[in-house]
Structure formats: C-alpha cells, structure tokens
C-alpha cells in the first residue's frame, strides 16, 4: 500500500500505548518513529545526573537553562531498525524509563525553555517527513499541520496496570497504588500546565484502546489510512 510522505502525530495520556502503537505503525508502513516523551525523559535524566533536581523535586532553573544552551547532545540513533535515545555516546533508553525519572519528568517538561529545546530537536530529526511521532502536544503545537492526528486514551486503571507490568519486567519494585498515583499526577500536570497542555486536537481521530489488542489497533490504523488517502484498492464498488 502506497502511503504518501506525511507526518503522523500520536498524542494522548501516559501509558495508553502510544509508543508501542507508533512503533508498530512505523514498522508496518515504513515510517521513522520518534518518541518525544523520550526526549523529555532524556532532559530530565541529564538534569538529575547534574544534580539540578533536588530532593522534593525542586529544579535549579538557571542551571538547567545553561545546561541546555550548552547542548547536552541528546539525539536519536537508529539501531537495527529501532530508534534509541543517546546522551553523547551512551544509550539511555533503559535509564529514562525508571520510576525516578518518571516522577520528575512532568515538572521538567512543563518548563517553557525545555519545551523549546525539545521542539527544536523534533523538527531537526523530522526533516523530510515520513515520520510518526508520539507525545502530548505533537498534533496541537509541534506539528499542527500534521496530515494525520491520533489521540489515544484508555481507562486509568488499565493504563496503571500496563505501566506497573512494564516497571516490574524491568526489575523495579513499585506498588500498584504508587504507579496509579504517579499516573494520575502526571495526567493532571500534563493537562493543566500553562505551556502546551495535553489536549485533543479538533481534527484528531480518537482511539480508546482499553479493550483493544495491538492487532486491532493496526487494523484500525490501516482502515484510517486507506480511507484518508483513498487507497481502498478496489475493495468497494461504490
Ligand atoms: O510518554 P512518556 O510517558 O514517555 O512522556 C514522559 C513525559 O514527558 C510525560 O509526563 C509528559 C511529557 N511529554 C510532554 O510534555 N510532551 C510530549 N510531547 C511528550 C511527553
């Protein structure tokens, strides 16, 4: 199926499976996958390692701004067909997914100069199009002209269970209540912050995947692309 070179923006609440979905679509239809949340997590990790996030979450704003101006060399690399985030020569995909980083990432990502830094990076890595990118504000702020916008949502407890399973598989030992509380807090911060709050773009297609399998998500996407780009390939006679 021939899909034109477009940008697909995937936004939605945390743990709705945005990145799994976007990676699957990228592999199926030959798109480059970019994870904007990973970039925010990378900035958070860099800030934590530099001692700029204090106990209790207080952030040293002037020092963080100076650190980003110095360019901490956060970049994506394609490793065997998968996009991974690097800090200099170090792959930080594992470290950016710990509960410690998850607990600090929402306040860090609410800082306007952090958002500008990440937006610039995302534009740089998307040059040429044919990209699928997931995040919170891709279809509303970063790429408001994206040809296809998807907004993902799912039941809160189902999302918390997904995140819990992911953390346990990685060796973390959180309680379910802790994960649920973290998720609710992030939902609140993400949708109430002043700069680029999480919002559904008016022209986004909404996917509630509480009861959907990955295969059903892919079929949903296939239908959307076929309809949108008129590539039904003779399936209908009218
Ligand atoms: O999708 P994620 O959980 O990896 O995202 C990590 C955090 O980054 C999340 O709390 C909100 C923030 N984020 C954002 O503010 N804007 C984006 N486009 C992507 C993520």
């Amino acid at each position: 199926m021939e899909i034109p070179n477009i940008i697909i923006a995937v936004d939605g609440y945390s743990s709705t499976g945005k990145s799994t979905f976007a990676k699957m679509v990228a592999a199926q239809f030959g798109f480059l996958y970019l994870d904007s949340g990973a970039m925010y997590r990378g900035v958070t990790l860099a800030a934590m390692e530099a001692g700029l996030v204090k106990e209790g979450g207080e952030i040293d704003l002037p020092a963080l701004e100076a650190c980003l101006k110095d360019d901490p060399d956060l970049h994506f690399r394609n490793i065997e067909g998968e996009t991974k985030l690097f800090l200099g020569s170090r792959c930080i995909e594992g470290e950016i997914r710990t509960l410690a980083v998850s607990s600090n990432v929402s306040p860090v990502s609410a800082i306007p100069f952090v958002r500008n830094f990440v937006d610039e990076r995302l534009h740089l890595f998307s040059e040429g199009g044919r990209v699928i990118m997931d995040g919170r504000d891709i279809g509303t702020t970063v790429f408001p002209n994206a040809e296809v916008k998807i907004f993902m949502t799912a039941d809160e407890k189902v999302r918390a269970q997904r995140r819990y399973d992911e953390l346990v598989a990685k060796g973390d030992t959180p309680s379910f209540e802790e994960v649920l509380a973290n998720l609710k807090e992030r939902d609140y911060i993400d949708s109430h912050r002043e700069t680029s709050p999480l919002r559904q773009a008016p022209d986004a297609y909404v996917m509630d995947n509480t009861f959907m399998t990955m295969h059903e998500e892919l079929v949903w996407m296939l239908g959307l692309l076929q309809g949108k780009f008129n590539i039904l390939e003779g399936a209908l006679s009218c």
Side-chain angles (χ1 to χ4, degrees):
M1 189 169 87
E2 259 318 297
I3 299 168
N5 284 355
I6 54 167
I7 291 188
I8 304 177
V10 181
D11 290 307
Y13 293 100
S14 62
S15 298
T16 44
K18 296 186 296 295
S19 59
T20 307
F21 171 73
K23 277 181 204 163
M24 185 168 69
V25 171
Q28 182 74 31
F29 301 110
F31 278 63
L32 172 70
Y33 164 65
L34 293 182
D35 175 356
S36 67
M39 196 51 97
Y40 285 105
R41 288 171 177 273
V43 171
T44 305
L45 179 71
M48 287 165 70
E49 289 186 342
L52 308 180
V53 182
K54 312 267 177 268
E55 281 285 311
E58 195 197 326
I59 301 159
D60 185 338
L61 292 176
L64 180 56
E65 192 165 16
C67 163
L68 296 185
K69 276 209 181 103
D70 270 356
D71 194 353
D73 193 17
L74 277 164
H75 61 273
F76 293 109
R77 280 191 210 169
N78 190 303
I79 309 283
E80 291 168 8
E82 285 193 31
T83 316
K84 306 267 186 207
L85 188 67
F86 278 71
L87 179 56
S89 59
R90 189 172 125 221
C91 178
I92 53 170
E93 275 297 319
E95 288 154 272
I96 60 172
R97 315 267 167 209
T98 58
L99 194 57
V101 170
S102 297
S103 303
N104 288 314
V105 66
S106 272
V108 171
S109 65
I111 302 167
F113 65 76
V114 170
R115 302 206 72 80
N116 288 340
F117 172 86
V118 171
D119 286 3
E120 272 173 27
R121 288 288 133 127
L122 297 176
H123 276 272
L124 190 75
F125 287 106
S126 310
E127 270 166 21
R130 204 157 185 83
V131 168
I132 180 163
M133 194 178 309
D134 75 311
R136 302 291 189 289
D137 61 342
I138 307 303
T140 49
T141 306
V142 187
F143 287 102
N145 298 325
E147 288 84 351
V148 175
K149 299 178 187 177
I150 294 161
F151 189 84
M152 291 178 70
T153 183
D155 176 82
E156 180 174 273
K157 288 214 172 89
V158 170
R159 292 190 286 129
Q161 186 66 49
R162 289 174 186 164
R163 181 67 95 189
Y164 175 84
D165 293 344
E166 217 174 79
L167 290 167
V168 169
K170 279 179 190 139
D172 267 354
T173 50
S175 69
F176 178 77
E177 287 65 33
E178 199 181 352
V179 175
L180 181 62
N182 176 260
L183 182 129
K184 283 184 182 175
E185 193 189 335
R186 286 207 292 146
D187 280 356
Y188 185 86
I189 300 178
D190 292 346
S191 40
H192 287 82
R193 65 177 173 225
E194 244 171 67
T195 317
S196 300
L198 167 66
R199 237 187 278 116
Q200 183 190 318
D203 52 346
Y205 297 91
V206 179
M207 179 202 284
D208 181 334
N209 65 9
T210 306
F211 301 111
M212 283 171 87
T213 63
M214 281 164 60
H215 179 71
E216 286 166 334
E217 290 182 11
L218 198 55
V219 172
W220 181 94
M221 187 65 191
L222 177 67
L224 193 156
L225 291 171
Q226 284 182 317
K228 186 139 184 109
F229 297 107
N230 214 8
I231 35 185
L232 281 171
E233 291 165 356
L236 291 180
S237 57
C238 58

